[in-house]
Amino acid sequence: PMIAAMDAAGADDALRAEHLLHLRCEITNPELMAVLERYIDHPRLRLLSVMDHTPGQRQISDPDRARKRMLAEGRSEAEVDELLVQLHGWRDQTVAQQNRRAVAGYAKTFGLPLAAHDDATTDHVEEAKSDGCVIAEFPVTLEAAVRSRQHGMFVCMGGPNFVRGGSHSGNLSAREAAEAGVLDMLTSDYVPLSMLRSAFLLMDLYGWPAERAMATIARTPALSVGLHDRGELTEGLRADLVRVARRSGGWPAPREVWRQGRRVA
């Protein structure tokens, strides 16, 4: 329904931004391939990622830590138990590798960029490289981030992680990745303003040149998914532009937005 609504809005010229699809493929989902096959040739689709959020590995390497965080948020033991069942009770590890191979095969067949999500070890990274992944999305250790970069993958970290100064789940800090020279791009991770805030913090805290800092949220993400017509203000590319003011404390405030030379906000 959501994708259909987006298509309808696009047909009516009701969208001010160009909305593209990123399908996040939970490989332990026994229904994954049935869902993916419905949208694999959708014209909006620009990115696939393979992920496994099973407790005990990768992002959730310490299930007790995650449980304690939920309790600290004010939930009762019973509420946490019920939530964990809802989040993970449907997972089936027996289909994980089969699904991962299938997703990687679709990416190759349809020429779609593939991202590896939450890699924690060099073995994870080697598998990602073998699968054809071009993006390392949220590596959870510096070791994995460094190895991903050595393989020529774009290292992507979350804006909220960068702004707050660390991962909420105790994994690799986006700032540590920047300090180690392995931060290529930042994503909103559900908090869109965090991208602009992070880019300015890269300039303010780490002395990055403006063009390098802004590339983490514009040019590099575009290149990573094969969008070579946007991401910077250069002759021959799309005239996409955001005018930003900076408030007290350095917080960015978008003021005007242009898309392909036309002001839309």
Side-chain angles (χ1 to χ4, degrees):
M2 181 180 68
I3 295 175
M6 191 69 66
D7 289 341
D12 290 340
D13 195 26
L15 301 176
R16 288 188 285 182
E18 182 179 11
H19 295 271
L20 304 175
L21 279 177
H22 168 200
L23 295 184
R24 308 176 77 222
C25 303
E26 280 284 353
I27 60 175
T28 58
N29 181 357
E31 299 178 2
L32 169 63
M33 300 315 299
V35 176
L36 181 57
E37 287 167 2
R38 292 172 55 193
Y39 298 107
I40 193 63
D41 60 350
H42 195 286
R44 292 184 186 274
L45 183 58
R46 289 293 187 277
L47 178 63
L48 298 175
S49 57
V50 284
M51 55 188 63
D52 183 353
H53 287 104
T54 302
Q57 61 179 319
R58 297 181 182 258
Q59 185 191 82
I60 314 175
S61 59
D62 185 353
D64 288 338
R65 181 189 179 101
R67 183 181 183 85
K68 289 176 182 177
R69 186 174 70 248
M70 293 180 193
L71 291 170
E73 292 170 351
R75 296 184 174 93
S76 68
E77 291 276 359
E79 288 173 330
V80 170
D81 289 340
E82 182 179 355
L83 180 59
L84 289 174
V85 170
Q86 292 175 359
L87 289 174
H88 305 296
W90 48 267
R91 297 183 182 279
D92 181 357
Q93 279 290 337
T94 67
V95 302
Q97 283 305 306
Q98 175 184 332
N99 279 347
R100 183 174 179 123
R101 299 283 79 76
V103 173
Y106 271 131
K108 183 176 181 180
T109 298
F110 287 86
L112 293 166
L114 183 64
H117 188 81
D118 289 346
D119 282 351
T121 68
T122 54
D123 285 344
H124 289 159
V125 177
E126 296 304 323
E127 181 181 28
K129 181 62 177 178
S130 177
D131 287 339
C133 293
V134 296
I135 298 171
E137 184 181 43
F138 305 162
V140 301
T141 65
L142 183 59
E143 175 188 41
V146 170
R147 189 60 177 156
S148 298
R149 169 63 79 76
Q150 290 172 345
H151 277 311
M153 298 164 66
F154 296 97
V155 176
C156 177
M157 301 295 290
N161 177 326
F162 194 98
V163 171
R164 75 192 299 271
S167 163
H168 76 278
S169 53
N171 296 319
L172 176 64
S173 163
R175 295 192 187 190
E176 184 180 358
E179 291 164 359
V182 292
L183 175 65
D184 295 309
M185 55 191 187
L186 291 150
T187 185
S188 70
D189 200 16
Y190 308 109
V191 186
L193 185 60
S194 69
M195 297 171 68
L196 275 172
R197 175 62 166 165
S198 296
F200 282 114
L201 285 173
L202 282 168
M203 291 185 271
D204 295 342
L205 300 181
Y206 296 97
W208 282 30
E211 60 272 20
R212 181 186 177 193
M214 289 300 167
T216 65
I217 62 172
R219 185 59 171 163
T220 305
L223 291 175
S224 74
V225 294
L227 297 174
H228 298 281
D229 62 344
R230 67 197 72 188
E232 62 181 337
L233 298 178
T234 299
E235 185 176 355
L237 301 189
R238 290 166 50 118
D240 295 342
L241 175 69
V242 180
R243 186 174 72 85
V244 180
R246 300 193 71 186
R247 294 175 175 170
S248 59
W251 281 92
R255 294 302 192 193
E256 297 172 334
V257 180
W258 286 263
R259 173 187 170 192
Q260 293 180 285
R262 180 168 66 93
R263 184 176 173 182
V264 294

